Amino acid sequence: MISAALLGIYDVVKKNAVSENVVAYVLWISAANGAVIWFLLAVAMGSGLQDVFPHWLHLMPLDWTDHARLFGKAILVGASWSLALYALKYLPLSIAAPIRSTSPLMTIVLAIVWMGERPTWWQWIGMIIVLGSFWALSFVGRLEGIRFHRDRWVAFMLLATALGACSSIYDKVLLQQFRYPPATVQAWFTWYTLPVMTPVALATLVSRSKSDERFLSFNRREHQACERIERFKFRWSILAISPLLLIADMAYFTAVADGTALVSVISTLRRCSVIVVLILAKGRTGELNLRLKWCCAIGMILGVALIVWSGQHG
């Protein structure tokens, strides 16, 4: 639930960072910022200050096989982030966040088929209520002219969600089967995300440079006005993306690392970050039909309460 609350704030910060901005550059700066944060922590712990930091932040030594596994995690996360941020740029926040929150449905199917998880009947009912609320949101989206089955950015968000579900299953493999400490998983996949994002940023830089050349040539030849391609705008919210995600992910990894944890339940709880998004979206321009969206959110809250109650009463 701590992870869910932070993810809600994280989604609002991301929306601010990518609105009318160059997504590839925002992604790269965010990845670099996260890598720097973990680099400074690792240097501090390796320079005789390890006793100052709690034990759960210490990194374990890895071999080449371990690095390959964590690089795979970085590829999954990088692809999911890229698709999600492009979709978030063009979709209303109060639509994009709930679509992203449907990842528990995919996670549940994968967890049952691949991991052999068996949620209780009450947990099933709670998850059905939560996922049914997400589904109802698609009808609210139609009131804003968003046709879920035809919209390109909805497709981007759904693909990002599918990759996120695969990443959730992979998290359980890394943390429970291979027993990597949460800090080790987070640090290395954060570092590996930077080289994954760099080719995308470089390709964007090259393509934008060519677009600028075509624009200048066109203006000189035709003497006509033409709108320039979108310029990168630095915002402080870009630097807030990684810290929020790092703390949210550490809470999530710690939960998944528990041998008794069901990733299908944890993923459902985590994606209730949409409740925080709807609270914070109230003052944003362009966010419509918030009352109907709140009805969906109330259904989610009831489902979450049932899941938590079932977990406490066995």
mmCIF file of all heavy atoms in Angstrom, residues 19 35 65 92 96 104 106-107 141 152 155 164 182 193 202 207 210 213 220-221 254 302 310 312:
data_model
loop_
_atom_site.group_PDB
_atom_site.id
_atom_site.type_symbol
_atom_site.label_atom_id
_atom_site.label_comp_id
_atom_site.label_asym_id
_atom_site.label_seq_id
_atom_site.Cartn_x
_atom_site.Cartn_y
_atom_site.Cartn_z
ATOM 1 N N SER A 19 4.236 16.192 -20.492
ATOM 2 C CA SER A 19 3.258 17.016 -21.204
ATOM 3 C C SER A 19 3.981 18.026 -22.092
ATOM 4 O O SER A 19 4.816 18.803 -21.623
ATOM 5 C CB SER A 19 2.355 17.753 -20.203
ATOM 6 O OG SER A 19 1.558 16.847 -19.491
ATOM 7 N N ALA A 35 20.229 6.042 -11.787
ATOM 8 C CA ALA A 35 21.542 5.395 -11.770
ATOM 9 C C ALA A 35 22.525 6.149 -10.890
ATOM 10 O O ALA A 35 23.315 5.534 -10.149
ATOM 11 C CB ALA A 35 22.078 5.289 -13.198
ATOM 12 N N THR A 65 26.077 -14.712 -14.771
ATOM 13 C CA THR A 65 24.703 -15.208 -14.917
ATOM 14 C C THR A 65 23.718 -14.298 -14.193
ATOM 15 O O THR A 65 22.635 -13.979 -14.713
ATOM 16 C CB THR A 65 24.586 -16.644 -14.372
ATOM 17 O OG1 THR A 65 25.505 -17.489 -15.055
ATOM 18 C CG2 THR A 65 23.165 -17.178 -14.558
ATOM 19 N N PRO A 92 -5.573 11.547 -21.194
ATOM 20 C CA PRO A 92 -5.846 12.180 -19.895
ATOM 21 C C PRO A 92 -5.296 11.319 -18.760
ATOM 22 O O PRO A 92 -5.368 10.079 -18.816
ATOM 23 C CB PRO A 92 -7.376 12.253 -19.838
ATOM 24 C CG PRO A 92 -7.811 12.168 -21.261
ATOM 25 C CD PRO A 92 -6.809 11.302 -21.961
ATOM 26 N N ALA A 96 -5.347 7.258 -18.363
ATOM 27 C CA ALA A 96 -4.107 6.491 -18.528
ATOM 28 C C ALA A 96 -3.767 5.672 -17.289
ATOM 29 O O ALA A 96 -3.394 4.494 -17.380
ATOM 30 C CB ALA A 96 -2.955 7.437 -18.865
ATOM 31 N N PRO A 104 -2.821 -6.073 -12.959
ATOM 32 C CA PRO A 104 -3.083 -7.250 -12.109
ATOM 33 C C PRO A 104 -3.832 -8.373 -12.816
ATOM 34 O O PRO A 104 -3.606 -9.540 -12.496
ATOM 35 C CB PRO A 104 -3.926 -6.662 -10.963
ATOM 36 C CG PRO A 104 -3.500 -5.244 -10.877
ATOM 37 C CD PRO A 104 -3.255 -4.829 -12.298
ATOM 38 N N MET A 106 -3.532 -9.386 -15.934
ATOM 39 C CA MET A 106 -2.531 -10.172 -16.651
ATOM 40 C C MET A 106 -1.594 -10.885 -15.682
ATOM 41 O O MET A 106 -1.194 -12.031 -15.911
ATOM 42 C CB MET A 106 -1.740 -9.264 -17.595
ATOM 43 C CG MET A 106 -2.605 -8.521 -18.591
ATOM 44 S SD MET A 106 -1.661 -7.410 -19.646
ATOM 45 C CE MET A 106 -2.986 -6.477 -20.417
ATOM 46 N N THR A 107 -1.242 -10.194 -14.596
ATOM 47 C CA THR A 107 -0.344 -10.789 -13.597
ATOM 48 C C THR A 107 -0.991 -12.008 -12.951
ATOM 49 O O THR A 107 -0.325 -13.031 -12.717
ATOM 50 C CB THR A 107 0.019 -9.754 -12.519
ATOM 51 O OG1 THR A 107 0.614 -8.618 -13.149
ATOM 52 C CG2 THR A 107 0.993 -10.336 -11.509
ATOM 53 N N GLY A 141 -14.365 6.400 -20.305
ATOM 54 C CA GLY A 141 -13.476 6.954 -21.323
ATOM 55 C C GLY A 141 -14.196 7.295 -22.613
ATOM 56 O O GLY A 141 -13.848 8.250 -23.307
ATOM 57 N N ARG A 152 -4.632 4.606 -30.607
ATOM 58 C CA ARG A 152 -3.237 4.159 -30.633
ATOM 59 C C ARG A 152 -2.589 4.231 -29.252
ATOM 60 O O ARG A 152 -1.850 3.337 -28.859
ATOM 61 C CB ARG A 152 -2.446 5.037 -31.599
ATOM 62 C CG ARG A 152 -0.958 4.712 -31.643
ATOM 63 C CD ARG A 152 -0.128 5.849 -32.209
ATOM 64 N NE ARG A 152 -0.661 6.325 -33.481
ATOM 65 C CZ ARG A 152 -0.158 7.383 -34.122
ATOM 66 N NH1 ARG A 152 0.854 8.057 -33.600
ATOM 67 N NH2 ARG A 152 -0.673 7.767 -35.271
ATOM 68 N N ALA A 155 -3.603 1.517 -27.002
ATOM 69 C CA ALA A 155 -2.861 0.299 -27.364
ATOM 70 C C ALA A 155 -1.452 0.335 -26.768
ATOM 71 O O ALA A 155 -0.954 -0.680 -26.256
ATOM 72 C CB ALA A 155 -2.803 0.150 -28.876
ATOM 73 N N GLY A 164 4.559 -4.872 -18.136
ATOM 74 C CA GLY A 164 4.658 -4.685 -16.690
ATOM 75 C C GLY A 164 4.225 -5.924 -15.926
ATOM 76 O O GLY A 164 4.804 -6.262 -14.886
ATOM 77 N N PRO A 182 16.269 -7.408 -2.330
ATOM 78 C CA PRO A 182 15.581 -6.348 -3.070
ATOM 79 C C PRO A 182 16.503 -5.214 -3.504
ATOM 80 O O PRO A 182 16.399 -4.729 -4.637
ATOM 81 C CB PRO A 182 14.523 -5.860 -2.066
ATOM 82 C CG PRO A 182 14.221 -7.063 -1.230
ATOM 83 C CD PRO A 182 15.532 -7.777 -1.092
ATOM 84 N N THR A 193 19.230 0.003 -16.818
ATOM 85 C CA THR A 193 18.195 0.712 -17.564
ATOM 86 C C THR A 193 18.791 1.863 -18.377
ATOM 87 O O THR A 193 18.288 2.195 -19.455
ATOM 88 C CB THR A 193 17.110 1.252 -16.608
ATOM 89 O OG1 THR A 193 16.497 0.154 -15.928
ATOM 90 C CG2 THR A 193 16.017 2.006 -17.363
ATOM 91 N N LEU A 202 19.393 8.606 -28.332
ATOM 92 C CA LEU A 202 20.268 8.983 -29.443
ATOM 93 C C LEU A 202 19.513 8.956 -30.769
ATOM 94 O O LEU A 202 19.677 9.850 -31.611
ATOM 95 C CB LEU A 202 21.468 8.040 -29.497
ATOM 96 C CG LEU A 202 22.492 8.181 -28.357
ATOM 97 C CD1 LEU A 202 23.574 7.114 -28.489
ATOM 98 C CD2 LEU A 202 23.109 9.573 -28.352
ATOM 99 N N SER A 207 16.981 11.885 -35.324
ATOM 100 C CA SER A 207 15.775 12.118 -36.131
ATOM 101 C C SER A 207 15.286 13.549 -35.997
ATOM 102 O O SER A 207 14.819 14.157 -36.968
ATOM 103 C CB SER A 207 14.667 11.140 -35.727
ATOM 104 O OG SER A 207 14.237 11.384 -34.402
ATOM 105 N N LYS A 210 17.470 15.905 -38.125
ATOM 106 C CA LYS A 210 17.081 15.846 -39.532
ATOM 107 C C LYS A 210 15.784 16.602 -39.773
ATOM 108 O O LYS A 210 15.628 17.268 -40.803
ATOM 109 C CB LYS A 210 16.936 14.397 -39.971
ATOM 110 C CG LYS A 210 18.269 13.638 -40.021
ATOM 111 C CD LYS A 210 18.065 12.200 -40.471
ATOM 112 C CE LYS A 210 19.397 11.466 -40.555
ATOM 113 N NZ LYS A 210 19.222 10.041 -40.951
ATOM 114 N N GLU A 213 16.581 20.238 -40.023
ATOM 115 C CA GLU A 213 17.180 20.585 -41.309
ATOM 116 C C GLU A 213 16.112 20.708 -42.388
ATOM 117 O O GLU A 213 16.137 21.640 -43.195
ATOM 118 C CB GLU A 213 18.211 19.523 -41.698
ATOM 119 C CG GLU A 213 19.456 19.529 -40.819
ATOM 120 C CD GLU A 213 20.385 18.385 -41.163
ATOM 121 O OE1 GLU A 213 20.076 17.655 -42.130
ATOM 122 O OE2 GLU A 213 21.408 18.217 -40.463
ATOM 123 N N ARG A 220 13.301 28.351 -46.209
ATOM 124 C CA ARG A 220 14.100 29.163 -47.126
ATOM 125 C C ARG A 220 13.560 29.061 -48.551
ATOM 126 O O ARG A 220 13.565 30.032 -49.299
ATOM 127 C CB ARG A 220 15.558 28.700 -47.087
ATOM 128 C CG ARG A 220 16.314 29.154 -45.837
ATOM 129 C CD ARG A 220 17.797 28.960 -46.036
ATOM 130 N NE ARG A 220 18.143 27.547 -46.197
ATOM 131 C CZ ARG A 220 18.516 26.758 -45.197
ATOM 132 N NH1 ARG A 220 18.590 27.237 -43.973
ATOM 133 N NH2 ARG A 220 18.818 25.493 -45.423
ATOM 134 N N ARG A 221 13.082 27.861 -48.927
ATOM 135 C CA ARG A 221 12.655 27.632 -50.292
ATOM 136 C C ARG A 221 11.257 28.190 -50.549
ATOM 137 O O ARG A 221 10.989 28.788 -51.586
ATOM 138 C CB ARG A 221 12.683 26.132 -50.592
ATOM 139 C CG ARG A 221 12.382 25.806 -52.056
ATOM 140 C CD ARG A 221 12.581 24.312 -52.330
ATOM 141 N NE ARG A 221 11.628 23.484 -51.607
ATOM 142 C CZ ARG A 221 11.945 22.745 -50.555
ATOM 143 N NH1 ARG A 221 13.179 22.737 -50.084
ATOM 144 N NH2 ARG A 221 11.026 22.010 -49.950
ATOM 145 N N THR A 254 10.329 -5.515 -1.398
ATOM 146 C CA THR A 254 10.370 -6.077 -0.050
ATOM 147 C C THR A 254 9.152 -6.956 0.201
ATOM 148 O O THR A 254 9.251 -8.027 0.822
ATOM 149 C CB THR A 254 10.435 -4.947 1.000
ATOM 150 O OG1 THR A 254 11.599 -4.144 0.739
ATOM 151 C CG2 THR A 254 10.531 -5.514 2.406
ATOM 152 N N LEU A 302 -13.216 -0.930 -2.174
ATOM 153 C CA LEU A 302 -13.925 -2.047 -1.541
ATOM 154 C C LEU A 302 -13.225 -3.374 -1.837
ATOM 155 O O LEU A 302 -13.093 -4.233 -0.963
ATOM 156 C CB LEU A 302 -15.369 -2.091 -2.045
ATOM 157 C CG LEU A 302 -16.264 -0.916 -1.611
ATOM 158 C CD1 LEU A 302 -17.625 -1.016 -2.288
ATOM 159 C CD2 LEU A 302 -16.416 -0.888 -0.094
ATOM 160 N N SER A 310 -9.140 -10.552 3.888
ATOM 161 C CA SER A 310 -8.960 -11.991 3.660
ATOM 162 C C SER A 310 -7.553 -12.431 4.051
ATOM 163 O O SER A 310 -7.369 -13.496 4.615
ATOM 164 C CB SER A 310 -9.229 -12.305 2.182
ATOM 165 O OG SER A 310 -8.962 -13.664 1.913
ATOM 166 N N GLN A 312 -5.670 -11.141 6.342
ATOM 167 C CA GLN A 312 -5.506 -11.103 7.795
ATOM 168 C C GLN A 312 -6.257 -12.243 8.478
ATOM 169 O O GLN A 312 -5.891 -12.673 9.575
ATOM 170 C CB GLN A 312 -6.023 -9.770 8.341
ATOM 171 C CG GLN A 312 -5.134 -8.587 7.944
ATOM 172 C CD GLN A 312 -5.714 -7.269 8.403
ATOM 173 O OE1 GLN A 312 -6.897 -7.165 8.721
ATOM 174 N NE2 GLN A 312 -4.888 -6.245 8.446
#
